[in-house]
Amino acid sequence: MKAEIIAVGTELLLGQVVNTNATFLSEELASLGIDVFYHSVVGDNPNRLEELLTIADKRSDLIVLCGGLGPTDDDLTKQVTARHVGQELVRDEPGYHQLKAFFENSQRRMTENNLRQTLVFKDGVSLPNPNGLAIGIFYQTAATSYLLLPGPPSELQAMFLTHAKPLLLEQFPQEEVLLSRVLRYYGIGESALVTELADLIENQVNPTIAPYAKPNEVTLRLTVKTADEAQGIKQLDALEETVQARVGAYFYGYGEQNSLAETVVGLLIEKKKTVTAAESLTAGLFQATLGGISGVSEVFPGGFVTYSAATKSKLLGIDPGLLESYGTVSQECAEAMAVYARKQAETDYAVAFTGVAGPDELEGQPKGTVWIALASDKGVSSQLYHFNRDRAYIRHSAVMAGLNQIRKELLN
Amino acid sequence: MKAEIIAVGTELLLGQVVNTNATFLSEELASLGIDVFYHSVVGDNPNRLEELLTIADKRSDLIVLCGGLGPTDDDLTKQVTARHVGQELVRDEPGYHQLKAFFENSQRRMTENNLRQTLVFKDGVSLPNPNGLAIGIFYQTAATSYLLLPGPPSELQAMFLTHAKPLLLEQFPQEEVLLSRVLRYYGIGESALVTELADLIENQVNPTIAPYAKPNEVTLRLTVKTADEAQGIKQLDALEETVQARVGAYFYGYGEQNSLAETVVGLLIEKKKTVTAAESLTAGLFQATLGGISGVSEVFPGGFVTYSAATKSKLLGIDPGLLESYGTVSQECAEAMAVYARKQAETDYAVAFTGVAGPDELEGQPKGTVWIALASDKGVSSQLYHFNRDRAYIRHSAVMAGLNQIRKELLN
């Protein structure tokens, strides 16, 4: 079952709108076991849409069109597709009554062009629109199925989930379903991870391994196509074990919705430990990242942003002489920041960040130079990093490294 | 000049990633007067990419490919395109030296597969990567031009703006160019803004007005197509004047790369004023936002994250009795936080945030309730907000409102 998605709309080609509909539909179709091999975008131009339909007919079993079902003259997806498959356009009666009621209720005048939204294929299935007025269409020829959905994401998603998805499940029952599991890694780059798993990735058939690099982390999605769910889970377990034997040292958690910060806050709550921070180059980003996680108030009372040298002394109480002797971008400064922050906030742990966010160097040290210290009841330790790229990336890299230092401490 | 954009990557077809590269490139190409007629997405599959190139050759003069330049075996855009146009792949020497230096600096082992990133076409133009390791390519046959860019948006954007755009301007000089101007608004929603400008938007031909909603702000892009730059600028000036007469009260600045935080830091530097903050629900996000802007160290020495009630007393010195009487989500608490933070950090201004980020209510107040206070040498003032949506959005809304309070104070 090969599918493709065609989005119709000049606004997409001008870069005014992002094609999130293709993303939503791809994920949904994958969950139904339908393979999406192409996305296309074409403008509100009947000839180019017709050409694209001719290409799509040759390579796909299911063509999902989105956009161009609205009331204006440049909404032409229905008209072009109807002509392409030789269907007559007729009025959808329930849609027409909904349209009339909408304009009566909102006390607005219904202009003639609105009737276009209620046109459907004579021999197709009409799909009601829970969040709008344009009616969708499902139509099958001997070779190809066509699904026409509206462009606004709220309308498309509601129509797909409520009406199109059940129809596709019924029309294309898949014996096999996709099960997937996401593993998250910190501290190893995508290319190194892939090298460790090269033979597995090269020889993969089912289950498959898909690496994906995000800023400062990599995820692996293990996916199995199976008609037997219990068997599929066993296959994923076995693959996970093989993968983790090689790269498990960098693994920190499961799931698409997870993060290093979620993991750290979870561990702090579980172990009933509290944390504070003193931040120079990150300027509050570490604490703001913790603050993004519900429930963090149990383990995080607050902390310090000590951007200038003066606030390092003023807010934390560090001896200005120490800063003068060693500089602010130094192991001594990072460790003092952590020790004093912990003392002042009365927490179990304190993480301190000092370094050079760039674009310029600081105290003769190049941008990307970062010291991160961790203080606990056992004393204080610190690590030196050399991060790359721009200011935003260096600060994010520092936050992730700080989270990982405390994660490792908590797991010790 | 007809162009199309082909994004290569199975992750796009699985719905794991949104194709924002096509959006960015479309906007950029439009600004060069190059018409984009199609977007396509294809997976990491050599045969399907080859088929798509054959289709694209027939309908486009310029084919922009993005993604698939990375180090792994499924990165095959260069290899397939090279075969398609009959080019040999050779090593790009500057790229190779950058690659070696990167691994030496970061003290990581360079695996063999990384060398793939430095392969380029023998007779093409190599495009350096300011934010990564994969080298881009520009290559022309008699009929068609090919531009190959990396997939990660930060790399693609930097490479396009720095290297590809000047090249395209030189290769394809357009008689008519697009001039555009971005106006930024805070404090008015997209639909309200569009309603104010409804007649202008409805009757627009040249110049055009394109509204775009971002989290907590709206931008308007005014665009004119012209063969006479001076005349085009006059047209934009006239349109801007008409627009600002209606919605200028919400305007805060120009430009795509601008932000409310940039504007505030610029004003602080211009007026030689310093700022600190005490943050409860935002937990450092306001300060981290300031910290993202180069040059902020001139005007921001640091500040406080006072998440718990205890740290509001401990770090700032607020009387615990005040917190008990009024609660932490109160005007009194917000104003005390601002006053004490300003005193401790010895700055001209202090902004304080206290409220309910959610998901649960706090002290009987619903999520989204936020007090923001601003202290200066003139005293302290505060405002109550009721923000909507989720935790992340509420915190972001609070940061934007705090920035706007200080912006207005600075303009007074």
Side-chain angles (χ1 to χ4, degrees), chain A residues 86-302:
Chain A
Q87 272 287 304
E88 192 186 327
L89 285 172
V90 298
R91 180 197 279 175
D92 178 64
E93 287 305 325
Y96 175 66
H97 290 297
Q98 187 196 2
L99 184 80
K100 273 208 322 197
F102 171 84
F103 280 96
E104 277 163 26
N105 289 342
S106 61
Q107 300 182 317
R108 281 163 53 191
R109 186 171 57 91
M110 185 179 85
T111 50
E112 189 68 16
N113 56 0
N114 275 290
L115 293 173
R116 293 167 61 100
Q117 302 188 77
T118 65
L119 293 177
V120 293
F121 289 7
K122 186 163 179 288
D123 305 311
V125 179
S126 299
L127 307 176
N129 187 331
N131 289 336
L133 300 171
I135 304 302
I137 296 167
F138 181 70
Y139 177 74
Q140 295 183 284
T141 65
T144 315
S145 301
Y146 301 84
L147 175 63
L148 282 70
L149 300 169
S154 67
E155 300 182 26
L156 175 133
Q157 293 180 17
M159 186 185 290
F160 184 87
L161 295 173
T162 317
H163 301 292
K165 194 173 179 175
L167 202 63
L168 293 176
L169 265 170
E170 188 190 299
Q171 292 292 323
F172 312 113
Q174 302 291 322
E175 284 190 11
E176 300 197 314
V177 293
L178 281 188
L179 299 176
S180 73
R181 184 177 299 176
V182 171
L183 312 180
R184 308 182 73 95
Y185 299 88
Y186 172 79
I188 182 169
E190 185 189 19
S191 60
L193 188 85
V194 164
T195 302
E196 293 294 334
L197 307 174
D199 55 317
L200 298 177
I201 292 175
E202 206 156 299
N203 303 318
Q204 64 183 351
V205 183
N206 186 32
T208 56
I209 306 177
Y212 185 59
K214 304 186 176 185
N216 283 299
E217 60 178 316
V218 191
T219 62
L220 285 181
R221 183 184 288 267
L222 314 185
T223 305
V224 66
K225 199 163 195 170
T226 181
D228 176 346
E229 191 165 334
Q231 179 58 29
I233 289 170
K234 270 192 203 154
Q235 286 175 275
L236 289 182
D237 287 343
L239 178 59
E240 182 182 339
E241 200 174 319
T242 312
V243 166
Q244 298 295 56
R246 303 190 191 179
V247 294
Y250 304 98
F251 173 77
Y252 77 81
Y254 292 99
E256 198 60 81
Q257 297 308 314
N258 200 352
S259 70
L260 200 53
E262 289 268 4
T263 302
V264 166
V265 170
L267 282 170
L268 287 165
I269 291 174
E270 181 193 321
K271 296 185 184 275
K272 298 193 198 316
K273 298 286 185 191
T274 57
V275 67
T276 188
E279 303 186 57
S280 185
L281 84 155
T282 49
L285 193 60
F286 177 82
Q287 296 171 82
T289 304
L290 293 180
I293 291 156
S294 308
V296 72
S297 57
E298 271 186 58
V299 294
F300 170 62

Side-chain angles (χ1 to χ4, degrees), chain A residues 12-20 22-24 26-27 30 36-43 48-49 51-52 55 59 178 188-192 194-196 198 202 210-212 221 256 281-285 287-297 300-308 311 314-315 344-346 358-359 386 388-391 395, chain B residues 11-20 22-24 26-27 30 36-43 48 51-52 55 59 71-74 102-103 105-109 111 113-114 131-132 154-155 210 212 281-285 287-297 300-308 311 314-315 344-346 358-359 391 395:
Chain A
L12 291 157
L13 295 180
L14 289 172
Q16 291 165 359
V17 181
V18 183
N19 190 6
T20 53
T23 310
F24 169 81
S26 292
E27 205 174 346
V36 176
F37 281 171
Y38 300 95
H39 295 170
S40 304
V41 176
V42 64
R48 287 195 284 273
L49 175 55
E51 280 169 29
L52 204 52
I55 292 169
R59 63 191 186 187
L178 281 188
I188 182 169
E190 185 189 19
S191 60
V194 164
T195 302
E196 293 294 334
E202 206 156 299
Y212 185 59
R221 183 184 288 267
E256 198 60 81
L281 84 155
T282 49
L285 193 60
Q287 296 171 82
T289 304
L290 293 180
I293 291 156
S294 308
V296 72
S297 57
F300 170 62
F304 307 85
V305 179
T306 53
Y307 208 61
S308 69
T311 53
K314 207 154 37 182
L315 307 191
Q344 296 233 18
E346 297 172 32
H386 298 286
N388 282 302
R389 306 199 201 176
D390 61 10
R391 186 179 178 92
R395 297 170 72 227
Chain B
E11 67 278 11
L12 291 156
L13 295 179
L14 290 170
Q16 292 164 0
V17 182
V18 182
N19 190 6
T20 53
T23 310
F24 169 81
S26 292
E27 203 175 346
V36 176
F37 281 171
Y38 300 95
H39 295 172
S40 304
V41 177
V42 63
R48 287 196 283 273
E51 280 169 29
L52 204 52
I55 292 170
R59 63 190 186 187
T72 69
D73 284 345
D74 62 4
F102 172 83
F103 280 95
N105 289 342
S106 61
Q107 300 179 321
R108 282 163 53 190
R109 185 171 55 93
T111 50
N113 54 2
N114 273 292
N131 288 335
S154 68
E155 300 182 25
Y212 187 58
L281 84 154
T282 47
L285 193 58
Q287 295 171 83
T289 304
L290 292 181
I293 292 157
S294 308
V296 72
S297 56
F300 170 62
F304 307 85
V305 179
T306 53
Y307 208 62
S308 70
T311 53
K314 207 155 32 181
L315 306 192
Q344 296 234 19
E346 297 172 31
R391 185 180 179 91
R395 296 171 72 227

Side-chain angles (χ1 to χ4, degrees), chain B residues 71 87 169 292 306 317:
Chain B
Q87 271 288 301
L169 265 170
T306 53

Side-chain angles (χ1 to χ4, degrees), chain B residues 39 61 63 108 151 330 332:
Chain B
H39 295 172
D61 310 310
I63 302 171
R108 282 163 53 190
S330 65
E332 289 76 9

Side-chain angles (χ1 to χ4, degrees), chain B residues 308-310 312-313 318-328 333 363:
Chain B
S308 70
K312 289 179 181 71
S313 299
I318 298 176
D319 175 9
L322 180 145
L323 299 175
E324 264 168 47
S325 311
Y326 297 101
T328 56
C333 177
E363 298 176 0

